[in-house]
Coordinates of all heavy atoms in Angstrom, one line a residue:
M638 N -5.2 -2.1 21.4 CA -5.0 -2.2 20.0 C -5.0 -0.8 19.3 O -5.6 0.0 19.7 CB -6.1 -3.1 19.4 CG -6.1 -3.2 17.9 SD -7.1 -4.5 17.3 CE -7.4 -4.1 15.6
F639 N -4.1 -0.8 18.2 CA -4.0 0.4 17.6 C -4.9 0.5 16.3 O -5.3 -0.4 15.8 CB -2.5 0.6 17.1 CG -1.5 0.6 18.0 CD1 -0.5 -0.4 18.3 CD2 -1.4 1.8 19.0 CE1 0.4 -0.4 19.4 CE2 -0.4 1.8 19.9 CZ 0.5 0.6 20.1
K640 N -5.4 1.8 16.1 CA -6.3 2.1 14.9 C -5.5 1.6 13.7 O -6.1 1.0 12.7 CB -6.7 3.5 15.0 CG -7.5 3.9 14.1 CD -8.1 5.2 14.2 CE -7.0 6.3 13.9 NZ -7.4 7.7 14.0
K641 N -4.3 2.0 13.6 CA -3.3 1.6 12.5 C -2.0 1.2 13.0 O -1.6 2.0 13.8 CB -3.2 2.8 11.4 CG -4.5 3.2 10.7 CD -4.9 2.3 9.7 CE -6.0 3.0 8.9 NZ -6.7 2.0 8.1
H642 N -1.5 0.2 12.5 CA -0.2 -0.2 13.0 C 0.7 -0.5 11.8 O 0.4 -1.4 11.0 CB -0.3 -1.4 14.0 CG 0.8 -1.7 14.9 ND1 0.8 -2.5 15.9 CD2 2.0 -1.1 15.0 CE1 2.0 -2.5 16.5 NE2 2.7 -1.6 16.0
I643 N 1.8 0.2 11.7 CA 2.7 0.1 10.5 C 3.9 -0.4 10.9 O 4.6 0.1 11.8 CB 2.8 1.6 10.0 CG1 1.5 2.3 9.5 CG2 3.9 1.6 8.7 CD1 1.1 3.1 10.7
F644 N 4.4 -1.5 10.2 CA 5.6 -2.1 10.4 C 6.5 -1.8 9.2 O 6.1 -2.0 7.9 CB 5.5 -3.6 10.5 CG 4.8 -3.9 11.9 CD1 3.4 -4.1 11.8 CD2 5.5 -4.2 13.0 CE1 2.7 -4.4 13.0 CE2 4.8 -4.4 14.1 CZ 3.4 -4.6 14.1
V645 N 7.7 -1.4 9.5 CA 8.8 -1.3 8.5 C 9.9 -2.2 8.7 O 10.5 -2.2 9.7 CB 9.3 0.3 8.5 CG1 10.4 0.5 7.4 CG2 8.3 1.4 8.5
C646 N 10.4 -2.9 7.6 CA 11.3 -3.9 7.6 C 12.7 -3.1 7.7 O 13.0 -2.5 6.7 CB 11.3 -4.8 6.4 SG 12.8 -5.8 6.5
T647 N 13.3 -3.2 9.0 CA 14.5 -2.5 9.2 C 15.6 -3.3 9.5 O 16.7 -2.9 9.7 CB 14.5 -1.3 10.2 OG1 14.0 -1.8 11.3 CG2 13.4 -0.1 9.7
E648 N 15.4 -4.6 9.6 CA 16.5 -5.5 10.2 C 16.8 -6.6 9.4 O 17.6 -7.4 9.7 CB 15.9 -6.1 11.5 CG 15.4 -5.1 12.5 CD 16.5 -4.2 12.9 OE1 17.7 -4.5 13.0 OE2 16.3 -3.0 13.2
G649 N 16.2 -6.7 8.1 CA 16.6 -7.9 7.2 C 17.8 -7.6 6.5 O 18.6 -6.7 6.7
K650 N 18.2 -8.5 5.5 CA 19.4 -8.4 4.8 C 19.4 -7.5 3.7 O 20.5 -7.0 3.1 CB 20.0 -9.7 4.4 CG 19.2 -10.4 3.4 CD 19.6 -11.8 3.1 CE 18.7 -12.5 2.2 NZ 19.1 -13.9 2.0
T651 N 18.3 -7.0 3.1 CA 18.1 -6.1 2.0 C 17.5 -4.7 2.2 O 18.0 -3.7 1.7 CB 17.7 -6.8 0.7 OG1 16.3 -7.2 1.0 CG2 18.4 -8.0 0.3
C652 N 16.4 -4.7 2.9 CA 15.7 -3.5 3.0 C 16.4 -2.4 3.7 O 16.4 -1.3 3.2 CB 14.3 -3.8 3.8 SG 13.0 -4.7 3.0
P653 N 17.2 -2.6 4.7 CA 18.0 -1.4 5.3 C 19.1 -0.9 4.1 O 19.2 0.3 4.2 CB 18.9 -2.2 6.4 CG 18.0 -3.3 6.7 CD 17.5 -3.8 5.5
N654 N 19.5 -1.8 3.3 CA 20.4 -1.1 2.2 C 19.5 -0.4 1.1 O 20.2 0.2 0.2 CB 21.2 -2.4 1.5 CG 22.1 -3.2 2.6 OD1 22.5 -2.3 3.5 ND2 22.4 -4.3 2.5
Q655 N 18.3 -0.7 1.1 CA 17.4 0.0 0.1 C 16.7 1.2 0.7 O 15.8 1.7 0.1 CB 16.5 -1.0 -0.4 CG 17.1 -2.3 -1.2 CD 16.0 -3.3 -1.5 OE1 15.3 -3.9 -0.6 NE2 15.8 -3.7 -2.8
G656 N 17.1 1.6 1.9 CA 16.6 2.9 2.5 C 15.5 2.7 3.4 O 14.9 3.7 3.7
S657 N 15.3 1.5 4.1 CA 14.1 1.4 4.9 C 14.2 2.2 6.3 O 13.2 2.6 6.8 CB 14.0 -0.1 5.2 OG 14.9 -0.7 6.0
K658 N 15.4 2.5 6.7 CA 15.6 3.3 8.0 C 15.2 4.7 7.7 O 14.6 5.4 8.5 CB 16.9 3.2 8.5 CG 17.2 1.8 9.2 CD 18.5 1.5 9.7 CE 18.4 0.1 10.3 NZ 19.8 -0.3 10.8
E659 N 15.5 5.1 6.4 CA 15.1 6.5 6.1 C 13.6 6.6 5.8 O 12.9 7.6 6.1 CB 15.8 6.8 4.7 CG 17.4 7.1 4.9 CD 18.3 5.8 5.0 OE1 17.7 4.7 4.7 OE2 19.4 6.0 5.2
V660 N 13.1 5.5 5.3 CA 11.6 5.5 5.2 C 10.9 5.5 6.5 O 10.0 6.3 6.8 CB 11.1 4.3 4.3 CG1 9.6 4.0 4.4 CG2 11.6 4.5 2.8
L661 N 11.4 4.8 7.4 CA 10.9 4.7 8.7 C 10.9 6.2 9.4 O 9.8 6.6 9.9 CB 11.6 3.8 9.7 CG 11.2 3.9 11.2 CD1 9.9 3.2 11.4 CD2 12.3 3.3 12.0
A662 N 12.0 6.9 9.3 CA 12.1 8.2 9.8 C 11.2 9.2 9.0 O 10.6 10.0 9.8 CB 13.5 8.7 9.7
E663 N 11.1 9.0 7.8 CA 10.2 9.9 7.1 C 8.8 9.7 7.3 O 7.9 10.6 7.3 CB 10.4 9.7 5.5 CG 9.8 10.7 4.7 CD 10.3 12.2 4.8 OE1 11.5 12.5 5.3 OE2 9.4 13.1 4.6
L664 N 8.3 8.4 7.5 CA 6.9 8.1 7.9 C 6.6 8.7 9.2 O 5.5 9.3 9.4 CB 6.8 6.7 7.9 CG 6.6 5.9 6.7 CD1 6.6 4.3 6.9 CD2 5.2 6.3 5.9
R665 N 7.6 8.7 10.2 CA 7.2 9.3 11.6 C 7.2 10.7 11.3 O 6.3 11.4 12.0 CB 8.4 8.8 12.4 CG 8.1 7.4 12.9 CD 9.3 6.9 13.9 NE 8.9 5.6 14.4 CZ 9.8 4.8 14.9 NH1 11.0 5.2 15.0 NH2 9.3 3.6 15.5
Q666 N 8.0 11.3 10.6 CA 8.1 12.8 10.3 C 6.7 13.2 9.6 O 6.1 14.1 10.1 CB 9.3 13.2 9.5 CG 9.3 14.6 9.1 CD 9.5 15.6 10.2 OE1 10.0 15.2 11.2 NE2 8.8 16.8 10.2
A667 N 6.4 12.6 8.6 CA 5.1 12.8 8.0 C 3.9 12.7 8.8 O 3.0 13.4 8.8 CB 5.0 12.0 6.6
L668 N 3.9 11.7 9.6 CA 2.8 11.4 10.5 C 2.7 12.6 11.6 O 1.6 13.1 11.8 CB 2.9 10.1 11.3 CG 1.7 9.8 12.2 CD1 0.5 9.5 11.4 CD2 2.1 8.5 13.0
S669 N 3.7 13.0 12.1 CA 3.8 14.0 13.1 C 3.4 15.4 12.5 O 2.8 16.3 13.2 CB 5.1 14.2 13.8 OG 6.0 14.6 13.0
A670 N 3.6 15.5 11.2 CA 3.4 16.9 10.5 C 2.0 16.8 9.9 O 1.4 17.9 9.6 CB 4.4 17.1 9.4
D671 N 1.3 15.7 9.9 CA 0.0 15.5 9.3 C -1.2 16.2 10.2 O -1.0 16.1 11.4 CB -0.4 14.1 8.9 CG -1.6 13.9 8.2 OD1 -1.5 14.2 7.0 OD2 -2.5 13.4 8.7
S672 N -2.1 16.8 9.6 CA -3.1 17.5 10.3 C -4.2 16.5 10.6 O -5.2 16.8 11.4 CB -3.7 18.6 9.5 OG -4.2 18.0 8.3
H673 N -4.3 15.2 10.2 CA -5.4 14.3 10.6 C -5.2 13.8 12.0 O -4.1 14.1 12.7 CB -5.3 13.1 9.7 CG -5.7 13.4 8.3 ND1 -4.8 13.5 7.3 CD2 -6.9 13.5 7.7 CE1 -5.5 13.8 6.1 NE2 -6.7 13.8 6.4
D674 N -6.1 13.2 12.6 CA -6.1 12.7 14.0 C -5.2 11.5 13.9 O -5.5 10.4 13.4 CB -7.7 12.3 14.4 CG -7.6 11.6 15.6 OD1 -6.6 11.6 16.4 OD2 -8.6 10.9 16.0
N675 N -4.1 11.6 14.6 CA -3.1 10.6 14.6 C -3.2 9.6 15.8 O -2.3 8.8 16.0 CB -1.7 11.2 14.5 CG -1.6 11.9 13.1 OD1 -2.0 11.4 12.1 ND2 -0.7 13.0 13.1
E676 N -4.2 10.0 16.6 CA -4.3 9.1 17.8 C -4.6 7.7 17.4 O -5.2 7.3 16.5 CB -5.6 9.5 18.6 CG -5.8 9.0 19.9 CD -4.9 9.6 21.0 OE1 -4.4 10.7 20.8 OE2 -4.7 9.0 22.0
G677 N -3.8 6.8 18.1 CA -3.9 5.3 17.8 C -3.2 4.8 16.6 O -3.4 3.7 16.1
I678 N -2.2 5.6 16.0 CA -1.5 5.2 15.0 C 0.0 5.0 15.5 O 0.5 5.8 16.0 CB -1.5 6.3 13.7 CG1 -2.9 6.4 13.2 CG2 -0.6 5.8 12.7 CD1 -3.0 7.4 12.1
R679 N 0.4 3.8 15.1 CA 1.8 3.4 15.7 C 2.8 3.0 14.5 O 2.3 2.1 13.7 CB 1.6 2.4 16.7 CG 2.9 1.7 17.3 CD 3.4 2.4 18.4 NE 4.6 1.9 19.0 CZ 4.7 1.6 20.2 NH1 4.0 1.9 21.2 NH2 5.9 1.0 20.7
I680 N 3.9 3.4 14.5 CA 4.9 3.0 13.5 C 6.0 2.3 14.1 O 6.7 2.9 15.0 CB 5.4 4.2 12.6 CG1 4.2 4.9 12.0 CG2 6.4 3.6 11.7 CD1 4.7 6.2 11.2
N681 N 6.2 1.0 13.7 CA 7.3 0.2 14.4 C 8.3 -0.4 13.5 O 8.0 -0.6 12.3 CB 6.8 -1.0 15.2 CG 6.2 -0.6 16.6 OD1 4.9 -0.7 16.7 ND2 7.0 -0.2 17.5
K682 N 9.5 -0.4 14.0 CA 10.6 -1.3 13.2 C 10.1 -2.7 13.2 O 9.5 -3.1 14.0 CB 12.0 -1.1 13.8 CG 12.4 0.3 14.0 CD 13.9 0.1 14.8 CE 14.3 1.4 15.3 NZ 15.5 1.3 16.1
A683 N 10.6 -3.4 12.2 CA 10.3 -4.9 12.2 C 11.5 -5.7 11.5 O 12.2 -5.0 10.8 CB 9.1 -5.1 11.4
G684 N 11.6 -6.9 11.7 CA 12.5 -7.7 11.2 C 11.9 -8.1 9.8 O 11.0 -7.6 9.3
C685 N 12.8 -9.0 9.3 CA 12.6 -9.4 7.9 C 11.2 -10.0 7.6 O 10.7 -10.8 8.4 CB 13.6 -10.4 7.4 SG 13.5 -11.0 5.7
F686 N 10.5 -9.6 6.4 CA 9.2 -10.1 6.1 C 9.4 -11.3 5.2 O 8.5 -11.8 4.6 CB 8.4 -9.1 5.5 CG 8.1 -7.9 6.2 CD1 7.8 -6.7 5.5 CD2 8.2 -7.9 7.6 CE1 7.5 -5.6 6.1 CE2 7.9 -6.7 8.3 CZ 7.5 -5.5 7.6
S687 N 10.7 -11.8 5.0 CA 11.0 -12.9 3.9 C 10.5 -12.5 2.6 O 10.1 -13.4 1.9 CB 10.3 -14.2 4.5 OG 10.9 -14.6 5.6
Q688 N 10.6 -11.3 2.3 CA 10.2 -10.8 0.8 C 11.4 -9.8 0.4 O 11.3 -8.9 -0.3 CB 9.0 -10.0 0.8 CG 7.9 -10.5 1.5 CD 7.4 -11.9 0.8 OE1 7.4 -12.0 -0.4 NE2 7.1 -12.9 1.5
C689 N 12.7 -10.4 0.8 CA 13.9 -9.6 0.5 C 14.1 -9.2 -1.0 O 13.8 -10.1 -1.7 CB 15.1 -10.3 1.0 SG 14.9 -10.9 2.8
G690 N 14.6 -8.1 -1.2 CA 14.8 -7.7 -2.6 C 13.7 -6.8 -3.1 O 13.9 -6.1 -4.1
N691 N 12.6 -6.6 -2.4 CA 11.4 -5.8 -2.8 C 11.4 -4.5 -2.0 O 10.2 -4.0 -2.1 CB 10.2 -6.7 -2.8 CG 10.3 -7.9 -3.7 OD1 10.3 -7.7 -4.8 ND2 10.4 -9.1 -3.2
G692 N 12.2 -4.3 -1.2 CA 12.1 -3.2 -0.3 C 12.4 -1.8 -0.8 O 12.9 -1.8 -1.9
P693 N 12.3 -1.0 0.1 CA 11.9 -1.1 1.4 C 10.4 -1.6 1.5 O 9.6 -1.1 0.7 CB 11.9 0.3 2.0 CG 13.0 1.0 1.3 CD 12.9 0.2 -0.1
M694 N 10.1 -2.6 2.4 CA 8.8 -3.1 2.4 C 8.2 -2.5 3.8 O 8.8 -2.4 4.8 CB 8.9 -4.6 2.6 CG 9.5 -5.3 1.3 SD 8.6 -6.4 0.4 CE 6.8 -6.3 0.8
I695 N 6.9 -2.3 3.8 CA 6.1 -1.8 4.9 C 4.8 -2.8 4.9 O 4.3 -2.9 3.8 CB 6.0 -0.5 5.1 CG1 4.8 0.1 4.1 CG2 7.1 0.4 4.8 CD1 4.6 1.6 4.5
V696 N 4.2 -2.9 6.1 CA 2.9 -3.6 6.1 C 2.0 -2.7 7.1 O 2.7 -2.3 8.1 CB 3.1 -5.0 6.7 CG1 1.8 -5.7 6.7 CG2 4.0 -5.8 6.0
I697 N 0.9 -2.6 6.7 CA -0.1 -1.7 7.5 C -1.3 -2.7 8.0 O -2.0 -3.3 7.1 CB -0.6 -0.5 6.7 CG1 0.6 0.4 6.4 CG2 -1.5 0.3 7.7 CD1 0.1 1.6 5.6
Y698 N -1.4 -2.7 9.2 CA -2.6 -3.4 9.7 C -3.6 -2.4 10.4 O -3.1 -1.4 10.8 CB -2.1 -4.4 10.9 CG -1.3 -5.5 10.4 CD1 0.1 -5.6 10.5 CD2 -1.9 -6.5 9.8 CE1 0.8 -6.6 10.0 CE2 -1.2 -7.6 9.3 CZ 0.2 -7.6 9.3 OH 1.0 -8.6 8.8
P699 N -4.9 -2.8 10.6 CA -5.4 -4.0 10.5 C -5.8 -4.6 9.1 O -6.0 -5.7 8.8 CB -6.7 -4.0 11.2 CG -7.1 -2.5 11.0 CD -5.9 -1.8 10.9
E700 N -5.5 -3.8 8.0 CA -5.9 -4.2 6.7 C -4.9 -5.3 6.0 O -5.2 -6.0 5.3 CB -5.7 -3.0 5.7 CG -6.5 -1.8 6.0 CD -5.9 -0.7 6.9 OE1 -5.2 -1.3 7.7 OE2 -6.1 0.3 6.8
G701 N -3.7 -5.4 6.7 CA -2.7 -6.3 6.1 C -2.3 -5.9 4.8 O -1.9 -6.9 3.9
V702 N -2.1 -4.6 4.4 CA -1.7 -4.2 3.1 C -0.1 -4.2 3.1 O 0.4 -3.7 4.0 CB -2.3 -2.8 2.9 CG1 -1.5 -2.0 1.7 CG2 -3.7 -2.9 2.6
W703 N 0.4 -4.7 2.1 CA 1.9 -4.8 1.9 C 2.2 -3.8 0.9 O 1.7 -3.8 -0.2 CB 2.3 -6.1 1.5 CG 2.2 -7.1 2.5 CD1 1.1 -7.5 3.2 CD2 3.3 -8.0 3.0 NE1 1.3 -8.6 4.1 CE2 2.6 -8.8 4.0 CE3 4.5 -8.3 2.7 CZ2 3.3 -9.9 4.6 CZ3 5.2 -9.2 3.3 CH2 4.6 -10.1 4.3
Y704 N 3.2 -2.8 1.1 CA 3.7 -1.9 0.3 C 5.3 -2.2 -0.1 O 5.9 -2.7 0.9 CB 3.6 -0.4 0.6 CG 2.3 0.1 0.6 CD1 1.8 0.7 1.9 CD2 1.4 -0.1 -0.3 CE1 0.5 1.3 1.8 CE2 0.1 0.5 -0.3 CZ -0.4 1.1 0.8 OH -1.5 1.7 0.8
C705 N 5.7 -2.1 -1.3 CA 6.9 -2.4 -1.6 C 7.8 -1.3 -2.3 O 7.0 -0.4 -2.9 CB 7.1 -3.8 -2.5 SG 6.2 -3.6 -4.1
Q706 N 9.0 -1.4 -2.4 CA 9.8 -0.4 -3.0 C 9.5 1.0 -2.6 O 9.4 2.0 -3.4 CB 9.8 -0.6 -4.5 CG 10.3 -1.9 -5.0 CD 10.1 -2.2 -6.4 OE1 10.1 -1.3 -7.3 NE2 9.9 -3.4 -6.8
V707 N 9.1 1.1 -1.3 CA 8.6 2.5 -0.9 C 9.9 3.3 -0.7 O 11.0 2.9 -0.3 CB 7.9 2.2 0.5 CG1 7.7 3.7 1.2 CG2 6.7 1.4 0.4
N708 N 9.8 4.6 -1.1 CA 11.0 5.5 -0.8 C 10.4 6.6 0.0 O 9.3 6.8 0.2 CB 11.6 5.9 -2.2 CG 10.7 6.7 -3.2 OD1 10.1 7.6 -2.7 ND2 10.7 6.2 -4.4
T709 N 11.4 7.5 0.3 CA 11.1 8.6 1.2 C 10.0 9.7 0.5 O 9.2 10.1 1.4 CB 12.2 9.4 1.6 OG1 12.9 9.8 0.5 CG2 13.1 8.6 2.6
G710 N 10.0 9.6 -0.7 CA 9.0 10.4 -1.3 C 7.6 10.0 -1.4 O 6.7 10.7 -1.8
D711 N 7.4 8.7 -1.1 CA 6.1 8.1 -0.9 C 5.5 8.4 0.4 O 4.2 8.0 0.5 CB 6.2 6.6 -1.2 CG 6.8 6.2 -2.7 OD1 6.4 7.0 -3.5 OD2 7.6 5.2 -2.7
C712 N 6.2 8.6 1.3 CA 5.9 8.6 2.8 C 4.6 9.5 3.1 O 3.6 9.1 3.7 CB 6.9 8.8 3.7 SG 8.2 7.5 3.7
K713 N 4.7 10.7 2.5 CA 3.7 11.7 2.7 C 2.3 11.2 2.2 O 1.2 11.3 2.9 CB 4.1 13.1 2.2 CG 3.1 14.3 2.6 CD 3.9 15.5 2.1 CE 3.0 16.8 2.5 NZ 2.1 17.1 1.4
E714 N 2.3 10.7 1.0 CA 1.2 10.0 0.3 C 0.6 8.9 1.3 O -0.6 8.9 1.4 CB 1.6 9.6 -1.0 CG 0.3 9.1 -1.9 CD 0.7 8.8 -3.2 OE1 1.8 8.8 -3.6 OE2 -0.3 8.3 -3.9
I715 N 1.5 8.0 1.7 CA 0.9 6.9 2.5 C 0.2 7.5 3.7 O -0.9 7.1 4.1 CB 2.1 6.0 3.0 CG1 2.6 5.3 1.6 CG2 1.6 5.0 4.1 CD1 3.9 4.5 1.9
V716 N 0.8 8.5 4.4 CA 0.2 9.0 5.7 C -1.0 9.7 5.2 O -2.1 9.5 6.0 CB 1.3 10.0 6.3 CG1 0.5 10.9 7.4 CG2 2.4 9.2 7.0
E717 N -1.1 10.6 4.3 CA -2.3 11.4 3.9 C -3.4 10.5 3.3 O -4.5 10.7 3.7 CB -2.0 12.4 3.0 CG -1.1 13.5 3.6 CD -0.8 14.6 2.6 OE1 -1.1 14.6 1.2 OE2 -0.2 15.6 3.0
E718 N -3.0 9.6 2.4 CA -4.0 8.8 1.9 C -4.5 7.5 2.7 O -5.7 7.4 2.8 CB -3.6 8.3 0.5 CG -3.4 9.4 -0.5 CD -4.6 10.4 -0.8 OE1 -5.6 9.7 -1.0 OE2 -4.6 11.5 -0.7
H719 N -3.6 6.7 2.9 CA -3.9 5.4 3.6 C -4.2 5.6 5.1 O -5.3 5.3 5.5 CB -2.7 4.4 3.5 CG -3.1 3.1 4.1 ND1 -2.7 2.0 3.3 CD2 -3.8 2.7 5.0 CE1 -3.2 0.9 3.9 NE2 -3.7 1.2 5.0
L720 N -3.3 6.3 5.8 CA -3.6 6.5 7.2 C -4.8 7.6 7.4 O -5.6 7.4 8.2 CB -2.3 7.0 8.0 CG -1.1 5.8 7.7 CD1 0.1 6.5 8.6 CD2 -1.6 4.6 8.2
G721 N -4.7 8.6 6.6 CA -5.7 9.7 6.8 C -7.0 9.4 6.3 O -8.0 9.8 6.8
K722 N -7.1 8.8 5.1 CA -8.5 8.6 4.4 C -8.8 7.2 4.2 O -9.8 6.9 3.4 CB -8.3 9.3 3.0 CG -8.0 10.8 3.2 CD -7.8 11.5 1.6 CE -7.2 12.7 1.7 NZ -6.9 13.4 0.5
N723 N -8.0 6.1 4.7 CA -8.3 4.9 4.4 C -8.2 4.5 2.9 O -9.0 3.6 2.5 CB -9.6 4.4 5.0 CG -9.5 4.0 6.5 OD1 -8.4 3.3 6.8 ND2 -10.3 4.6 7.4
K724 N -7.5 5.2 2.1 CA -7.3 4.9 0.7 C -6.1 4.2 0.4 O -4.9 4.8 0.7 CB -7.5 6.1 -0.1 CG -8.9 6.7 0.0 CD -8.9 8.2 -0.8 CE -8.7 8.0 -2.3 NZ -8.7 9.3 -2.9
I725 N -6.1 3.0 -0.1 CA -4.9 2.2 -0.4 C -4.0 2.9 -1.6 O -4.6 3.4 -2.6 CB -5.2 0.8 -0.8 CG1 -5.6 0.1 0.5 CG2 -4.0 0.1 -1.4 CD1 -6.2 -1.3 0.3
V726 N -2.7 3.0 -1.4 CA -1.9 3.6 -2.4 C -1.5 2.5 -3.5 O -0.6 1.8 -3.3 CB -0.6 4.3 -1.9 CG1 0.3 5.0 -3.0 CG2 -1.0 5.4 -0.8
E727 N -2.4 2.3 -4.4 CA -2.3 1.3 -5.3 C -1.0 1.0 -6.0 O -0.5 -0.1 -6.1 CB -3.4 1.4 -6.4 CG -4.9 1.5 -6.0 CD -5.5 0.2 -5.6 OE1 -4.9 -0.8 -6.0 OE2 -6.5 0.1 -4.9
R728 N -0.4 2.2 -6.4 CA 0.9 2.0 -7.2 C 2.0 1.4 -6.3 O 3.0 1.0 -7.0 CB 1.3 3.3 -7.6 CG 1.7 4.3 -6.7 CD 1.9 5.8 -7.1 NE 2.4 6.6 -6.1 CZ 3.5 6.7 -5.6 NH1 4.5 5.9 -6.0 NH2 3.7 7.5 -4.6
L729 N 1.8 1.3 -5.0 CA 2.9 0.9 -4.2 C 2.6 -0.6 -3.6 O 3.5 -1.1 -2.9 CB 3.1 1.8 -2.9 CG 3.6 3.1 -3.2 CD1 3.6 4.0 -1.9 CD2 5.0 3.1 -3.9
L730 N 1.5 -1.1 -4.0 CA 1.0 -2.4 -3.5 C 2.0 -3.5 -3.8 O 2.5 -3.5 -5.0 CB -0.4 -2.8 -4.0 CG -1.6 -2.2 -3.3 CD1 -2.7 -2.7 -4.0 CD2 -1.6 -2.7 -1.8
Y731 N 2.4 -4.3 -3.0 CA 3.3 -5.5 -3.3 C 2.6 -6.3 -4.3 O 1.4 -6.8 -4.1 CB 3.5 -6.2 -2.0 CG 4.6 -7.3 -2.1 CD1 5.7 -7.2 -2.9 CD2 4.6 -8.5 -1.3 CE1 6.7 -8.1 -3.0 CE2 5.5 -9.5 -1.5 CZ 6.6 -9.2 -2.4 OH 7.5 -10.2 -2.5
G732 N 3.2 -6.7 -5.3 CA 2.7 -7.4 -6.5 C 2.3 -6.6 -7.7 O 2.1 -7.3 -8.6
S733 N 2.2 -5.3 -7.4 CA 1.9 -4.4 -8.4 C 3.1 -3.9 -9.2 O 3.1 -3.3 -10.3 CB 1.1 -3.3 -8.0 OG 1.9 -2.4 -7.2
K734 N 4.3 -4.3 -8.8 CA 5.6 -3.8 -9.4 C 6.4 -5.1 -9.7 O 6.4 -6.0 -9.1 CB 6.4 -2.9 -8.4 CG 5.7 -1.7 -8.1 CD 6.5 -1.0 -7.2 CE 6.0 0.4 -6.8 NZ 7.1 1.2 -6.1
P735 N 7.3 -4.9 -10.7 CA 8.2 -6.0 -11.0 C 9.2 -6.1 -9.9 O 9.4 -5.0 -9.2 CB 8.9 -5.6 -12.3 CG 8.4 -4.2 -12.7 CD 7.4 -3.9 -11.7
A736 N 9.7 -7.3 -9.5 CA 10.7 -7.3 -8.3 C 11.9 -6.7 -8.8 O 12.3 -6.7 -9.9 CB 10.8 -8.9 -8.1
Q737 N 12.6 -6.2 -7.8 CA 13.9 -5.7 -8.0 C 15.0 -6.9 -8.0 O 14.7 -7.8 -7.4 CB 14.3 -4.7 -6.9 CG 13.5 -3.4 -7.0 CD 13.8 -2.3 -5.9 OE1 14.2 -2.8 -4.9 NE2 13.6 -1.2 -6.3
A738 N 16.2 -6.5 -8.4 CA 17.2 -7.6 -8.4 C 17.8 -7.6 -6.9 O 17.7 -6.8 -6.3 CB 18.3 -7.3 -9.4
Ligands
FES1053 S1 15.1 -7.6 4.3 FE1 13.1 -6.7 4.2 S2 11.7 -8.4 3.6 FE2 13.7 -9.3 4.0

């Protein structure tokens, strides 16, 4: 089992068009550049979460935290705060933002 397991929706019908593949790449880049202990942290592509239109969407386990409308500029903060310090990035929480069209 991984200490943290991050899934990025890259296969659904909307998230890829909203930049999810770039978010996936940026998360991996930010994680590799981060100075925290990255042992046991895994980032995977995922299929649709059935929350289309709110992407790019990511989910982090074991917390089961869902982030929505993530962009590449958010990735460093997710890595440093959530993965590094176990602090949820409240402003990106799914349900905390109005849905996109
Ligand atoms: S395309 Fe990402 S939740 Fe459906």
Side-chain angles (χ1 to χ4, degrees):
M638 179 167 155
F639 299 110
K640 183 170 71 178
K641 298 280 188 199
H642 203 168
I643 300 96
F644 294 92
V645 181
C646 173
T647 59
E648 304 299 327
K650 63 183 178 190
T651 57
C652 287
N654 298 331
Q655 294 173 306
S657 66
K658 290 181 180 174
E659 290 79 5
V660 165
L661 173 76
E663 188 63 27
L664 280 171
R665 287 179 167 160
Q666 173 64 32
L668 184 63
S669 69
D671 190 68
S672 59
H673 290 98
D674 175 14
N675 296 331
E676 188 79 19
I678 298 177
R679 174 90 180 226
I680 302 173
N681 279 111
K682 299 178 195 172
C685 180
F686 302 158
S687 297
Q688 307 299 321
C689 308
N691 297 290
M694 301 240 9
I695 77 171
V696 185
I697 302 179
Y698 291 104
E700 299 90 323
V702 166
W703 292 52
Y704 290 133
C705 64
Q706 299 171 29
V707 176
N708 62 51
T709 52
D711 300 319
C712 294
K713 189 167 183 268
E714 184 177 359
I715 291 169
V716 167
E717 289 181 355
E718 297 300 312
H719 191 134
L720 303 183
K722 301 176 190 168
N723 275 317
K724 289 172 65 177
I725 289 172
V726 183
E727 303 276 347
R728 67 184 180 80
L729 297 173
L730 276 177
Y731 187 39
S733 69
K734 297 178 171 191
Q737 291 180 328

